[in-house]
Amino acid sequence: MKLPSKSAVIRLFRVLAVAEAFSWAALLTGMYFKWVARTSEVGVEIAGPIHGALFIGYGVAALALWRLQRWPFRVAFFAGISAVFPFATVLFERWAGNRGYLTPAPTAQHTTLEQQNAGV
């Protein structure tokens, strides 16, 4: 069985980060109509399972990248915790991308950060 390449997992992670944020927006909108406007529960019934699936997919992709990219624990921790707060997955994705954690080959900056974390 052939495993997906690092670049494919990174692409999937980036897509899931944005999709998870959009699903948060849909779920929050559905919650507004259910609990504040008290007009319909359809938004929560539709957006809830979609958001749940994207949340799990994002988490699995983050765990895969933790292993594949050899992220330090704090990077993996922030990837996971970002899924709990609305729209934070997009912020994490941008932060990680800017620091070289979402590139298939280790960059000099990524290596330097790992060395700093290891106390080198």
Side-chain angles (χ1 to χ4, degrees), residues 5-16:
S5 67
K6 281 185 183 182
S7 58
V9 177
I10 291 168
R11 249 188 333 273
L12 178 64
F13 178 81
R14 288 180 180 266
V15 167
L16 287 170

Side-chain angles (χ1 to χ4, degrees), residues 66-86:
W66 181 20
R67 182 174 178 271
L68 290 171
Q69 294 289 88
R70 301 185 189 280
W71 283 350
F73 176 78
R74 72 175 177 83
V75 174
F77 175 78
F78 285 121
I81 202 76
S82 71
V84 176
F85 299 100

Side-chain angles (χ1 to χ4, degrees), residues 26-49:
L27 182 58
L28 291 172
T29 302
M31 290 170 68
Y32 169 81
F33 285 109
K34 179 178 180 178
W35 298 106
V36 178
R38 298 194 185 272
T39 57
S40 175
E41 294 184 14
V42 172
V44 173
E45 291 172 357
I46 293 171

